[in-house]
Amino acid sequence: LNLEITDDWKVQKKDNVVIKAIHHVALRCHNEENYRETLKFYRDLLGMKVKCSWGEGPYAATMLELDGSMMEIFATGACSTRTGSINHFAFSTDDPDSCTEKVKKAGYPVISKPSDVTLLLSEPPNTYYPLRFSYCIGPVGEIIEFFCDGNLSKKNTKWTF
C-alpha cells in the first residue's frame, strides 16, 4: 500500500493511489436454499440492511449494507468453502461477544471465542493497540471475524509484529 500514518493517526493518501476503499465483499452460495440461509444470517441475525436485490431463482442476488460497508450475495455459483486467497473478512463491532453469542445460538460454528489482545506496534514505534475479536464460520463456509478496537478485559496478551 502506498499510505503514510501521521502522528495524529490519520491515514494520508499519496498522489499516485487510484483506489479509495473496498467497495464490497461478494459471496457465491451453493444453491438457492443456501442463498436464503445466507440472507437470513447477514440480514436477520447480524442486522445488515438490504440495499438492493435483482434477478430471480438461481440468478438472484442481493447487496447488503451496514454503515457504508457492503456485501453482495449471489444465489448460485461454482464455489467451494476454501477458494482463492482471502483468509477471512472482519466486521467492526462494539460488542464481539454478543455477535459471537448470536451466531452460536443460531447453530453456526464459533472457531475462536472473543479474545483480548494488545499489539505492540512497530509503526508508530512503542505504541500499544488494544483489540478484541472472535471468529465464526458463516453459511457459505466463509470465515468471519468480529473486531473491536480498544475493548480490553483484565487478561490480555502482547504481540509484536
Side-chain angles (χ1 to χ4, degrees):
L1 289 175
N2 201 1
L3 302 172
E4 291 179 353
I5 298 177
T6 62
D7 288 338
D8 62 358
W9 275 86
K10 291 181 181 173
V11 176
Q12 304 294 319
K13 288 192 284 184
K14 293 196 175 180
D15 292 338
N16 59 348
V17 175
V18 295
I19 61 170
K20 294 186 293 185
I22 294 173
H23 184 265
H24 69 273
V25 173
L27 295 176
R28 289 202 177 270
C29 298
H30 302 288
N31 52 47
E32 291 177 63
E33 181 181 343
N34 187 226
Y35 172 72
R36 288 187 294 276
E37 177 189 7
T38 301
L39 278 177
K40 185 177 176 184
F41 180 85
Y42 287 103
R43 182 190 59 216
D44 302 341
L45 189 64
L46 297 182
M48 295 184 84
K49 305 291 181 211
V50 174
K51 181 171 179 144
C52 59
S53 295
W54 61 94
E56 295 179 4
Y59 304 104
T62 299
M63 184 72 78
L64 299 173
E65 182 177 32
L66 185 65
D67 289 334
S69 298
M70 291 193 286
M71 176 177 289
E72 186 175 28
I73 301 172
F74 295 96
T76 59
C79 67
S80 70
T81 57
R82 296 289 294 176
T83 61
S85 59
I86 295 174
N87 175 266
H88 72 279
F89 56 88
F91 287 118
S92 178
T93 178
D94 290 332
D95 191 357
D97 299 67
S98 65
C99 292
T100 305
E101 191 58 32
K102 275 183 162 184
V103 168
K104 184 177 178 181
K105 282 183 180 177
Y108 294 94
V110 172
I111 56 176
S112 174
K113 294 179 182 178
S115 301
D116 294 328
V117 173
T118 300
L119 303 177
L120 175 57
L121 304 179
S122 56
E123 187 64 37
N126 301 315
T127 302
Y128 290 95
Y129 181 50
L131 53 104
R132 184 166 179 80
F133 61 90
S134 64
Y135 291 93
C136 69
I137 297 178
V140 184
E142 70 278 21
I143 297 174
I144 304 164
E145 178 181 5
F146 297 114
F147 180 89
C148 180
D149 295 277
N151 185 12
L152 292 175
S153 68
K154 293 180 181 176
K155 292 183 180 179
N156 61 51
T157 305
K158 292 183 180 171
W159 292 348
T160 304
F161 290 101

